[in-house]
Amino acid sequence: MEFISGYRDPMVEYSELLFSWYQRYLIDCLGQMDRNVTNRQQSRNPELQNADHFYSEDVVRLSDLEKYVSLVDLDALPNGKVGGGAREPDDLCRIQYLLVVAEDAGTVMGIDFLMAGSGDSQRERLMTAVRAYYLLCQCMARPMDGGPARRPMCVAVSEPLERCLLRKLLPFLGVHVHKQPLRDWSTEASFVFSAKRAQNCHVCKKRSFEATLLPCDKCGAVLYCSKTCKKFDWKKCPSDISHEYWCEKMTQFMQSEDALADLPFCFSKEVTSRSFDNEKFLSARGLTRGYWTVESVHHYTSCLQQRKPAWDMDGGRERSEPLLGDTEILLKQTPKEKRKNSLVTWKEYYDWRGLNLDNPVAALLTYPLTIYHIISAMVPQHFPELNILKKQSLRIHIIEAGREYTCIMLFWELAVLMPNVVFELVFVGTDLPAEEDERSFIIHKKESEVVCSDDTLTNGKGVRGIHVKVHVRPYHNLQAAKPDLVIGFNSGFGLNDAWLSTLPRLQALRVPAYFSDCSQYSCDVDGQVVATATGGTVSPPVLNPFRSPLRIAATDNCMPWYNNAFLFYLIYKSAQCNPKKRNGQVPSEPAQAPPPETASDAQARRKKKQNGRNPPRKHK
């Protein structure tokens, strides 16, 4: 079995949902609409209109689609011109007319579009109004959110021609058109587009607007649309990928749902429910800027287009941290009281920092707090001989952390939590921005601000802070000093082939290596990959007290997924046949006595030694 919840970019997930619904819409309404308009769209972009699949199952990042899809910044194309006066790309397909049906609550029910170049005649405009009618009918019969078929009492329309036609046609369906035209996206001032994704069958990928989905009656974790799909998944070959193999394990995984939702925040019940709408939660709190864009589907696209962290240094000039929205916490503020003991829960951290439990900033601070928890609690327990809490400097390699690197300034919290330690964070991976390769800088405090300065400006004199180095390459190709600790966030070993080379490198280094993952299922798969790549294993996963409180939407299963939900560390393979592991670290192999030397061996050794001597000098 393979689940990719929590690893694929949310924009890819949402785009796939839009495409799947639109594809079904074309199939259902193809014979009812004007064939000329439909065929014109197909001729302009047949792959987009009729492709069987939007993307392959092994695609997990938007960057993987770059050879098929180009992200275009519309602000750089005023009046059809690219910034700087260049011509518009010939392969850029423009949408002339976009039809969107949404509920007042913000849930998108369906979409339709017309490509540019179809003309602006009266007949074409009339056909657009006809398409709006069929679109509304499809949204009532097969709403995109996967809910039951339903009929609105009243609809609001923005365009005059569509509004005029719908006022004549919709009364036959028992639907009335609002007296006033739609001035904005909605008649409600608090309207926010939802990014909820309809669930799908784990086997055939049918969406909930195409078939009724039911969970497995034994584990309740995996969704199927029919007995045929369930039977196929139960006996899948090889056996270790079949549901028969995983069903009992998933029953145990589902039992951790309440433990994962046990959080002290005022909003815990909302953000941990299966129906949690991440986009509405963020928008209702004004969290649409700065670092919060990485948590938002609608606002994340701008970050992907820029491919740079929000704190980007322009010409080496110092930049302070970006805004964190209305729930902004100023990391430059020093806590009022000194920390007496290690912090082990979000409640203790919030109390120490003076934060209100209604502040969702834990979703962003999960990364530095997870590192802190590994250093302060896990390494001393599993590797006590390292005395890590007594070290004055720590070099930490963070692997494949492109998402976390966009929030790099938040790692200053490590300096607040452990002020007596000098940190060197080395970010390594292929998902980091290419322009950041070989960059070296320091996060430090300047007066009352937390700033980021290039190493060449500080010269390493009198600047105490967090040193950061960036290497955009696979970890097994890295040439750098040996780290004290290796950390990976939401690793997903089975979803990236690069780990098959990275794990043997870690096996050779034999340094403490800790990883987080989104679910117990993912940790189990990670253990299988480690065994295949190195012959070693991983420790049993433990619940991370500093996990993100925001639940990740799962489309083909009902399992609970959270960023940094569980933590585990690598147990390296020993050179011994039957190693005795102590605290997760394999002892070195004891030296063995050499076998007794025979007479022939002694004679060969003396001859070799004699031949190695310098020959005697000849005198004239």
Side-chain angles (χ1 to χ4, degrees):
M1 305 190 73
E2 181 178 276
F3 298 98
I4 51 179
S5 301
Y7 301 100
R8 183 183 290 144
D9 283 339
M11 180 55 68
V12 174
E13 285 275 9
Y14 191 62
S15 300
E16 197 276 335
L17 170 62
L18 296 177
F19 179 82
S20 298
W21 189 92
Y22 182 72
Q23 190 177 43
R24 183 70 197 190
Y25 169 53
L26 288 181
I27 295 173
D28 291 346
C29 301
L30 185 62
Q32 303 177 32
M33 296 184 294
D34 186 341
R35 293 182 181 271
N36 293 329
V37 177
T38 305
N39 292 336
R40 186 179 297 112
Q41 284 190 239
Q42 294 174 351
S43 63
R44 288 190 59 84
N45 202 340
E47 292 183 358
L48 179 63
Q49 301 292 332
N50 296 323
D52 292 332
H53 301 285
F54 181 70
Y55 59 89
S56 59
E57 280 301 310
D58 57 347
V59 173
V60 294
R61 295 186 300 268
L62 190 62
S63 58
D64 296 326
L65 290 174
E66 287 184 341
K67 56 184 177 181
Y68 307 111
V69 178
S70 298
L71 296 178
V72 179
D73 186 359
L74 297 180
D75 295 334
L77 296 171
N79 299 324
K81 298 291 183 179
V82 183
R87 294 183 57 188
E88 181 178 313
D90 295 333
D91 59 348
L92 180 62
C93 298
R94 284 183 171 272
I95 295 177
Q96 180 180 12
Y97 214 93
L98 176 65
L99 300 173
V100 180
V101 177
E103 291 182 331
D104 278 343
T107 303
V108 177
M109 310 298 290
I111 62 168
D112 192 8
F113 61 90
L114 295 175
M115 304 302 296
S118 59
D120 193 27
S121 64
Q122 184 69 19
R123 183 175 182 277
E124 295 291 350
R125 295 181 61 190
L126 180 62
M127 286 309 305
T128 303
V130 173
R131 290 181 72 119
Y133 171 77
Y134 284 118
L135 175 63
L136 184 60
C137 293
Q138 182 75 358
C139 293
M140 289 189 287
R142 296 183 184 271
M144 188 183 295
D145 66 347
R150 50 195 183 271
R151 179 181 59 187
M153 296 180 61
C154 182
V155 296
V157 187
S158 58
E159 294 297 327
L161 185 59
E162 285 80 353
R163 184 169 174 270
C164 181
L165 179 63
L166 292 178
R167 288 187 65 180
K168 298 178 180 178
L169 296 178
L170 291 184
F172 295 98
L173 302 178
V175 181
H176 300 281
V177 177
H178 201 276
K179 295 181 179 180
Q180 299 296 328
L182 187 65
R183 300 291 183 183
D184 204 342
W185 281 110
S186 174
T187 55
E188 300 291 334
S190 59
F191 176 84
V192 174
F193 270 125
S194 171
K196 290 183 63 177
R197 288 165 309 266
Q199 294 180 311
N200 60 270
C201 175
H202 176 65
V203 176
C204 68
K205 309 305 177 184
K206 281 186 179 179
R207 295 279 180 175
S208 53
F209 50 75
E210 299 177 286
T212 302
L213 302 178
L214 295 174
C216 171
D217 52 5
K218 293 185 178 181
C219 66
V222 188
L223 295 172
Y224 301 106
C225 68
S226 64
K227 292 183 179 180
T228 302
C229 287
K230 182 179 179 181
K231 183 178 180 180
F232 174 83
D233 198 34
W234 186 262
K235 292 295 183 180
K236 191 179 293 184
C237 293
S239 60
D240 60 350
I241 66 171
S242 68
H243 187 58
E244 183 180 14
Y245 174 86
W246 284 98
C247 190
E248 185 176 351
K249 291 186 176 183
M250 289 185 174
T251 302
Q252 299 175 0
F253 298 160
M254 292 296 290
Q255 294 175 359
S256 65
E257 186 170 16
D258 292 339
L260 284 164
D262 186 14
L263 294 164
F265 306 108
C266 302
F267 49 82
S268 295
K269 186 176 181 180
E270 176 185 359
V271 300
T272 59
S273 68
R274 295 188 182 184
S275 59
F276 170 56
D277 190 335
N278 184 68
E279 208 65 29
K280 287 187 176 182
F281 176 79
L282 296 177
S283 298
R285 295 167 178 264
L287 305 177
T288 57
R289 301 174 297 159
Y291 291 147
W292 286 108
T293 56
V294 299
E295 298 290 335
S296 169
V297 176
H298 298 319
H299 300 279
Y300 189 39
T301 310
S302 59
C303 294
L304 295 172
Q305 289 175 350
Q306 296 174 2
R307 298 295 298 275
K308 293 183 179 181
W311 53 270
D312 176 56
M313 295 179 295
D314 186 9
R317 292 178 294 179
E318 295 174 337
R319 295 291 181 88
S320 61
E321 56 181 307
L323 293 176
L324 303 182
D326 291 340
T327 61
E328 172 184 347
I329 72 164
L330 301 178
L331 299 182
K332 60 186 178 182
Q333 293 181 349
T334 304
K336 297 179 180 179
E337 298 181 358
K338 290 187 177 181
R339 183 172 47 83
K340 298 179 181 180
N341 300 312
S342 297
L343 305 174
V344 295
T345 64
W346 277 123
K347 178 68 167 59
E348 292 180 5
Y349 172 77
Y350 267 53
D351 291 342
W352 177 64
R353 272 308 230 155
L355 298 173
N356 192 297
L357 288 175
D358 193 45
N359 191 331
V361 77
L364 299 179
L365 292 178
T366 176
Y367 305 114
L369 266 294
T370 296
I371 294 179
Y372 165 75
H373 177 67
I374 291 173
I375 295 173
S376 63
M378 300 189 73
V379 176
Q381 177 186 358
H382 304 136
F383 302 92
E385 64 279 0
L386 297 180
N387 291 321
I388 195 169
L389 295 179
K390 294 183 178 180
K391 292 191 175 184
Q392 296 181 350
S393 63
L394 287 174
R395 181 184 294 114
I396 303 176
H397 286 184
I398 303 178
I399 307 179
E400 296 295 340
R403 177 187 177 94
E404 294 75 23
Y405 183 68
T406 60
C407 304
I408 184 62
M409 294 294 286
L410 293 177
F411 284 80
W412 171 253
E413 193 67 7
L414 286 172
V416 179
L417 288 161
M418 307 181 74
N420 297 324
V421 180
V422 176
F423 287 94
E424 180 183 333
L425 304 181
V426 181
F427 285 81
V428 188
T430 55
D431 59 346
L432 294 161
E435 60 275 9
E436 297 294 307
D437 190 24
E438 299 298 332
R439 175 159 287 186
S440 180
F441 54 92
I442 301 176
I443 304 173
H444 64 101
K445 212 167 186 181
K446 185 177 181 181
E447 297 178 354
S448 61
E449 296 285 339
V450 176
V451 297
C452 178
S453 301
D454 194 276
D455 268 346
T456 58
L457 299 180
T458 60
N459 295 322
K461 297 180 180 179
V463 178
R464 185 177 180 86
I466 296 180
H467 299 253
V468 180
K469 295 182 180 179
V470 185
H471 302 281
V472 185
R473 68 201 63 178
Y475 188 75
H476 59 273
N477 292 337
L478 176 67
Q479 299 294 330
K482 187 176 181 179
D484 299 299
L485 185 64
V486 173
I487 293 177
F489 296 105
N490 303 316
S491 49
F493 292 161
L495 298 174
N496 189 345
D497 291 340
W499 287 109
L500 297 177
S501 299
T502 295
L503 292 170
R505 172 69 185 278
L506 294 175
Q507 167 76 33
L509 290 175
R510 301 184 73 85
V511 297
Y514 285 80
F515 297 90
S516 71
D517 226 321
C518 300
S519 68
Q520 289 173 286
Y521 163 81
S522 301
C523 296
D524 203 317
V525 174
D526 292 338
Q528 294 180 358
V529 176
V530 170
T532 302
T534 68
T537 184
V538 300
S539 66
V542 295
L543 197 64
N544 180 12
F546 295 107
R547 61 193 175 276
S548 171
L550 307 184
R551 182 166 180 161
I552 300 172
T555 56
D556 59 350
N557 63 89
C558 302
M559 288 188 293
W561 302 76
Y562 296 84
N563 280 335
N564 302 324
F566 293 91
L567 297 171
F568 63 90
Y569 63 93
L570 299 184
I571 301 176
Y572 298 116
K573 178 184 178 181
S574 172
Q576 298 174 335
C577 297
N578 296 311
K580 295 181 180 180
K581 302 180 181 64
R582 179 176 59 85
N583 295 323
Q585 188 177 26
V586 179
S588 59
E589 185 175 1
Q592 298 180 358
E597 188 178 43
T598 63
S600 59
D601 292 337
Q603 184 179 1
R605 177 175 54 80
R606 287 193 297 268
K607 186 177 180 180
K608 182 178 180 182
K609 183 177 181 181
Q610 184 178 2
N611 292 337
R613 294 174 179 174
N614 294 329
R617 295 182 180 180
K618 293 182 179 181
H619 298 279
K620 292 183 180 180

